[in-house]
Each structure stands twice: as C-alpha cells, then as structure tokens.
Amino acid sequence: QVQLVESGGGLAQPGGSLRLSCAASGRSFSTYAMAWVRQAPGKEREFVAAISMSGGSTYYVDSVKGRFTISRDNAKNTVYLQMNSLKPEDTAVYYCAALKWATAQDMRNRASYDSWGQGTQVTVSS
C-alpha cells in the first residue's frame, strides 16, 4: 500500500478557492488511481472526484462538476484538488485515497479504495 498525506485545507469564504494536495510515498505512484472523498459532520463519506493512473480520465460527483478539478503529477507523486466557487455545503474533512490498477468502475466507488490519508479540514463560511 501507499502512504498518503493531505495538505491545503483551511477556511474559505463562499465563492472562494482552495487547492488540496496529497503526497504519496513509495514507488509506482503511476499504477494507482487516486480519489478525493469527503465527510461532512453527521454524514457518510461521499465520493468527490477520481483520476486514472495516467491522468487521462477523471470523474466527479454531480455537485462539484464545473467547480472542482482533480489532477496529478506522477513525477512528484502528488494528486491535487482545485476547488473553486466554494459553497458552505462543501464543508467537510477531505480524504485522499488510492487504489492500485483500478478499473473505471472501481474508480467511481469510494468503497474500492484501500489506502487512505488522515484527512484535511475544509470549512466554507463567511
């Protein structure tokens, strides 16, 4: 398994932006599909976005389409989540997750991922 460390969370105003980063340890980062999953207080974890091993395919939950962008830099073993036009309902702990040799179907299912970071808090409030 790969070790994951998220950073970049914090407080943002509605309409503002934040960029999350997730650094992965170890080799073979390019063999892992990567995802961002969030959990709001009192709610279940929710799939947010995923990106394929090469970065050629991305998937988003409908509520963030057009506002969030997932990307990766395999040379830096890092995946990013650019969050624009933030809304109060985006407030949650955001987790980075990884799955080796993931299929397209696996990528869109948060339960498929078997490596997780510790999470970073994102709060959207005025």
Side-chain angles (χ1 to χ4, degrees), residues 14-15 86-92 123-126:
L86 283 163
K87 303 176 181 180
E89 51 263 43
D90 294 319
T91 295
T123 302
V124 183
S125 175
S126 55

Side-chain angles (χ1 to χ4, degrees), residues 16-55:
S17 298
L18 285 173
R19 188 194 197 201
L20 305 183
S21 298
C22 172
S25 65
R27 293 179 283 183
S28 303
F29 178 70
S30 61
T31 65
Y32 288 84
M34 302 297 296
W36 289 95
V37 174
R38 66 186 179 187
Q39 187 167 22
K43 295 187 177 181
E44 293 186 354
R45 287 193 180 186
E46 176 189 36
F47 169 87
V48 176
I51 189 166
S52 62
M53 293 175 283
S54 67

Side-chain angles (χ1 to χ4, degrees), residues 5 7 19 21 31-32 46-47 51-52 54 59-61 65 67 69 78 81-82 88-89 92 97 104-105 112 116:
V5 178
S7 61
R19 188 194 197 201
S21 298
T31 65
Y32 288 84
E46 176 189 36
F47 169 87
I51 189 166
S52 62
S54 67
Y59 303 95
Y60 299 92
V61 67
K65 284 181 181 177
R67 299 190 299 121
T69 302
T78 302
L81 186 67
Q82 178 67 44
E89 51 263 43
Q105 183 176 3
S112 299
W116 293 84

Side-chain angles (χ1 to χ4, degrees), residues 60-107:
Y60 299 92
V61 67
D62 286 346
S63 60
V64 308
K65 284 181 181 177
R67 299 190 299 121
F68 290 10
T69 302
I70 188 170
S71 62
R72 66 189 295 160
D73 185 338
N74 285 348
K76 295 182 178 180
N77 284 13
T78 302
V79 63
Y80 305 97
L81 186 67
Q82 178 67 44
M83 304 186 294
N84 298 329
S85 303
L86 283 163
K87 303 176 181 180
E89 51 263 43
D90 294 319
T91 295
V93 177
Y94 283 71
Y95 297 90
C96 177
L99 179 63
K100 197 173 181 66
W101 300 120
T103 65
Q105 183 176 3
D106 288 338
M107 286 175 55

